[in-house]
């Protein structure tokens, strides 16, 4: 009798443990930038998260995502503007997509000063995008300490650490394509257009014939 009772108790504990596991939301341990577990579920089930990741990969592969700054400065130089112009052209191609700009510093100075400087750099990039006709509602400036994500581990001044990084962060929720769930169309739209264009080498060469 005691053995049966003990086995029953163990079984109930096992079922309770399984129940708590099965009742957990998908992505309950999610710590990514897309938000809490419930939001993560919605993004996964709608396919939005997967498509956002695809677009993020395309952006990183097709345009330079990083610019650098002079020491203790948030001013955009000629090289930075040239890169941001490429980013802006890409961003304007995808009006359904939102972007974040992360500002970084090198390891010189205090955390508070570097956080403020990183944010000024990110805001400078957002301001440039706005000057190119991109809605600020699609853009977000984020600050990041130089001490937390340096490209080069050095306590001294380092240009590669003094940077901003532009990334795809998601979709514009009130855009018609997004409301209709046409994420795949957003991803593949440009590819389809490229496939339909005539290749520059496919030219028709006209030859003149002499009349008799």
């Amino acid at each position: 009798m005691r053995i049966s009772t003990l086995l029953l108790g163990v079984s109930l504990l096992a079922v309770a443990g399984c129940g708590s596991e099965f009742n957990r939301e998908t992505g309950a341990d999610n710590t990514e930038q897309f938000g809490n577990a419930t939001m993560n579920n919605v993004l996964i089930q709608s396919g939005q998260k997967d498509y956002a990741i695809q677009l993020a990969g395309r952006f990183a592969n097709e345009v330079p995502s990083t610019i650098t700054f002079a020491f203790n400065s948030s001013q955009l130089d000629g090289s930075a503007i040239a890169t941001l112009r490429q980013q802006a052209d890409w961003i304007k191609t995808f009006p359904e997509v939102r972007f974040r700009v992360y500002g970084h510093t090198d390891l010189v100075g205090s955390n508070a000063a570097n956080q403020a400087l990183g944010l000024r750099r990110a805001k400078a990039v957002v301001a440039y995008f706005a000057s190119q006709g991109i809605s600020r509602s699609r853009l977000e400036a984020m600050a990041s300490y130089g001490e937390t994500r340096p490209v080069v581990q050095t306590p001294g001044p380092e240009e590669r650490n003094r940077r901003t990084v532009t990334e795809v962060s998601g979709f514009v929720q009130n855009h018609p394509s997004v409301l209709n769930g046409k994420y795949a169309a957003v991803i593949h739209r440009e590819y389809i257009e490229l496939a339909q264009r005539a290749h520059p080498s496919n030219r028709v060469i006209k030859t003149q014939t002499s009349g008799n």
Side-chain angles (χ1 to χ4, degrees):
M1 183 66 179
R2 290 182 179 178
I3 295 176
S4 299
T5 304
L6 180 60
L7 290 175
L8 178 61
V10 171
S11 299
L12 289 173
L13 286 173
V15 170
C18 290
S20 63
E21 183 67 26
F22 285 127
N23 288 332
R24 294 176 64 196
E25 293 176 317
T26 302
D29 296 328
N30 174 63
T31 56
E32 297 179 14
Q33 65 185 14
F34 285 94
N36 60 30
T38 301
M39 179 59 70
N40 191 55
N41 289 345
V42 173
L43 295 176
I44 290 173
Q45 291 170 10
S46 67
Q48 182 178 157
K49 184 171 184 178
D50 181 59
Y51 287 125
I53 292 172
Q54 289 186 49
L55 274 173
R58 278 193 61 181
F59 180 79
N61 289 331
E62 294 176 10
V63 296
S65 59
T66 302
I67 63 170
T68 58
F69 294 80
F71 181 75
N72 199 32
S73 173
S74 59
Q75 297 296 313
L76 304 174
D77 61 19
S79 176
I81 289 175
T83 297
L84 292 179
R85 189 176 297 117
Q86 294 181 59
Q87 293 183 15
D89 289 342
W90 201 97
I91 291 171
K92 286 187 283 188
T93 304
F94 294 92
E96 307 91 344
V97 183
R98 293 184 291 109
F99 292 81
R100 282 179 178 165
V101 181
Y102 293 88
H104 298 260
T105 70
D106 55 28
L107 282 77
V108 179
S110 68
N111 285 347
N114 284 337
Q115 182 184 31
L117 178 57
L119 184 57
R120 288 199 302 273
R121 287 171 173 167
K123 286 183 174 180
V125 172
V126 168
Y128 175 81
F129 288 153
S131 74
Q132 300 301 300
I134 300 170
S135 172
R136 286 181 178 266
S137 65
R138 298 175 55 205
L139 306 167
E140 186 177 7
M142 309 289 290
S144 176
Y145 295 114
E147 289 84 347
T148 61
R149 294 184 180 179
V151 174
V152 180
Q153 290 286 351
T154 175
E158 171 56 55
E159 182 180 9
R160 285 170 290 181
N161 291 339
R162 302 190 298 264
R163 70 199 191 278
T164 61
V165 181
T166 306
E167 297 180 354
V168 171
S169 63
F171 290 90
V172 178
Q173 295 306 311
N174 61 352
H175 193 280
S177 294
V178 175
L179 291 175
N180 293 332
K182 296 181 179 179
Y183 303 113
V186 175
I187 298 290
H188 298 293
R189 179 180 58 223
E190 191 178 47
Y191 290 152
I192 294 172
E193 291 177 355
L194 287 172
Q196 292 175 341
R197 296 175 192 169
H199 193 279
S201 63
N202 294 340
R203 294 178 298 172
V204 176
I205 302 175
K206 296 182 178 179
T207 58
Q208 291 183 345
T209 57
S210 57
N212 290 328

